[in-house]
Amino acid sequence: MPSPITPGLLILHGNQMEMLRAAVFDWLRTHPLGPLEQETILVQSNGFAEWLKIALARDLGVCAATRVALPGRFLWEAYRAMLGRERVPARSPFDKDPLTWRLMRLLPTLLREPAFAPLTHFLGDGCPERRLQLAERLADLFDQYRVYRADWLTDWEIGRDQLRRAGGDPVPLEPDQVWQAHLWRAVHESVPPMQRGLGRAAIHEVFVTRILSGDPPAGRLPRRVVLFGMSALPYQTLQAIAALARHTRAGRAESLPVLLGRHHRRARAAESCAQAPAGARRRRPGQRTDRGPARPPHPLLASWGRQGRDFVRMLDEFDNEEVRPEDAENGTTRLRIDLFSEGPGETLLARCRPPCATCCR
């Protein structure tokens, strides 16, 4: 019989991968899935996936019926499982591989337009190797835009050559960057009309709306998902994971349990997040929730940990959401635990406090 698992979102913060690994493995050991169920673990790289498989086999005795995958591919499969194979194809026409060849075809036809003047020096000689190199780089760039800044692509599609900023008014594109908006419009118009709504951003919005409304999935979703060793995640990915944690299965009042083990690359980079109101609400086992006034962060860690701070703020945004009454009735929870260790001895950064003139300038 499958183990009864409390549904919801459980977030572990830590600065030592070994501590996080031990905590996650203990949780998996005490909450086993059914004999024929597959464990789904998401990591940030293929190399980390191999390390995790070896660690699972060594600590748990065997690594079987375990899928270790990247978040992007898993989310696309979750979109298909929720919305159906007819709505979400196996591959999007905006994926990197098909987009590369689409750009190879479009670039020579666009160089005559004034907006593409910055590219004429690189592609002016008509060298196909240069064009392929640029097409691959641009396909990768647009793929990152789809995940991290889908709002930019949405504006460009409707003719707004601008960049949206967090907490501020949009700013127009620089003259030497306008070609990116023109190129994306050309890509969008070259896709058949029936396929233009198959971009990741459009499907993601439908997915979140459907899953939060309690609609039953068209396919099969895993019984739980574990994200391990994440130092950062795009907002779009985190939003989808949080929505999955609220998912209620058809015929069973059970949300999808999600365990997120987050690794801080810097031992105390998160301390510089103390300005955020929710930062003081994180707790460690055996300690009070209110930690009191935060110690001023080390300036070098504060400068290095900017990406980590942004990720912590995003986690706080989802952590601060109130549990809906229907979720509370189903036993849905959200919990955050810190697993930090100062380590033995004095660190080099601690020795140069207050900031020295060498490394803290």
Side-chain angles (χ1 to χ4, degrees):
M1 291 294 293
S3 171
I5 303 175
T6 301
L9 180 61
L10 173 61
I11 303 175
L12 306 179
H13 288 270
N15 63 331
Q16 291 189 8
M17 191 64 70
E18 293 76 11
M19 293 179 61
L20 278 176
R21 184 184 68 187
V24 171
F25 287 2
D26 286 344
W27 190 80
L28 296 178
R29 187 183 295 109
T30 55
H31 300 86
L33 294 176
L36 300 180
E37 287 187 285
Q38 184 182 60
E39 192 76 69
T40 302
I41 304 177
L42 307 183
V43 296
Q44 284 190 324
S45 68
N46 291 321
F48 193 88
E50 296 305 315
W51 173 84
L52 186 61
K53 292 176 185 177
I54 295 173
L56 276 169
R58 183 177 61 247
D59 291 8
L60 302 183
V62 63
C63 179
T66 300
R67 181 194 177 197
V68 184
L70 302 178
R73 174 50 54 187
F74 167 78
L75 284 182
W76 191 257
E77 295 172 358
Y79 295 159
R80 297 193 78 196
M82 187 67 199
L83 304 178
R85 296 178 180 272
E86 297 78 12
R87 176 67 176 84
V88 184
R91 301 199 65 181
S92 167
F94 299 101
D95 284 346
K96 284 196 294 185
D97 289 344
L99 185 58
T100 298
W101 299 111
R102 193 176 298 274
L103 289 168
M104 279 285 290
R105 177 175 58 85
L106 289 174
L107 283 171
T109 66
L110 299 173
L111 291 180
R112 295 185 293 271
E113 299 182 15
F116 291 90
L119 302 183
T120 55
H121 178 71
F122 188 77
L123 299 177
D125 59 357
C127 176
E129 288 82 5
R130 282 175 175 264
R131 181 157 38 109
L132 177 59
Q133 180 184 12
L134 180 60
E136 290 175 338
R137 294 289 297 273
L138 290 176
D140 183 69
L141 178 65
F142 284 137
D143 186 68
Q144 294 184 52
Y145 284 165
R146 289 196 306 146
V147 176
Y148 290 93
R149 297 313 307 250
D151 53 341
W152 292 1
L153 299 182
T154 301
D155 285 340
W156 296 351
E157 289 171 9
I158 59 179
R160 298 175 181 171
D161 298 344
Q162 64 182 20
L163 301 177
R164 299 191 200 179
R165 300 182 302 175
D169 296 330
V171 296
L173 277 169
E174 296 292 336
D176 59 346
Q177 296 296 327
V178 172
W179 63 267
Q180 292 193 51
H182 287 239
L183 181 57
W184 181 252
R185 278 196 290 274
V187 168
H188 192 260
E189 293 170 359
S190 69
V191 175
M194 64 182 63
Q195 298 182 9
R196 293 177 185 175
L198 299 179
R200 180 178 291 269
I203 291 178
H204 171 80
E205 292 180 3
V206 178
F207 167 80
V208 172
T209 301
R210 289 276 302 275
I211 203 169
L212 292 182
S213 64
D215 294 345
R220 183 181 180 85
L221 290 169
R223 195 158 72 99
R224 73 176 174 208
V225 179
V226 177
L227 290 84
F228 184 73
M230 298 294 181
S231 57
L233 280 174
Y235 183 86
Q236 187 182 89
T237 302
L238 189 57
Q239 186 182 34
I241 293 297
L244 281 172
R246 280 184 165 185
H247 170 61
T248 301
R249 294 183 170 197
R252 291 174 57 187
E254 179 179 345
S255 299
L256 184 69
V258 176
L259 173 66
L260 195 159
R262 180 180 185 267
H263 176 229
H264 293 262
R265 295 183 183 275
R266 308 299 173 189
R268 279 299 175 188
E271 290 293 345
S272 56
C273 256
Q275 306 94 315
R281 283 193 289 273
R282 286 183 229 106
R283 63 183 180 88
R284 304 179 193 176
Q287 290 192 352
R288 295 182 307 171
T289 301
D290 186 4
R291 300 193 328 203
R295 181 169 59 90
H298 194 286
L300 194 56
L301 283 181
S303 63
W304 284 348
R306 181 171 301 172
Q307 184 184 34
R309 295 199 305 272
D310 293 341
F311 185 39
V312 169
R313 291 191 180 101
M314 286 195 299
L315 289 175
D316 289 336
E317 176 182 337
F318 292 99
D319 184 50
N320 292 338
E321 293 180 354
E322 295 183 359
V323 177
R324 299 177 301 177
E326 57 269 30
D327 292 335
E329 293 176 0
N330 297 337
T332 301
T333 59
R334 282 191 296 274
L335 179 63
R336 305 184 61 150
I337 298 175
D338 279 4
L339 298 173
F340 285 96
S341 174
E342 298 292 347
E346 187 180 20
T347 64
L348 181 60
L349 283 174
R351 293 180 182 179
C352 67
R353 180 184 294 275
C356 64
T358 303
C359 64
C360 300
R361 290 181 294 179

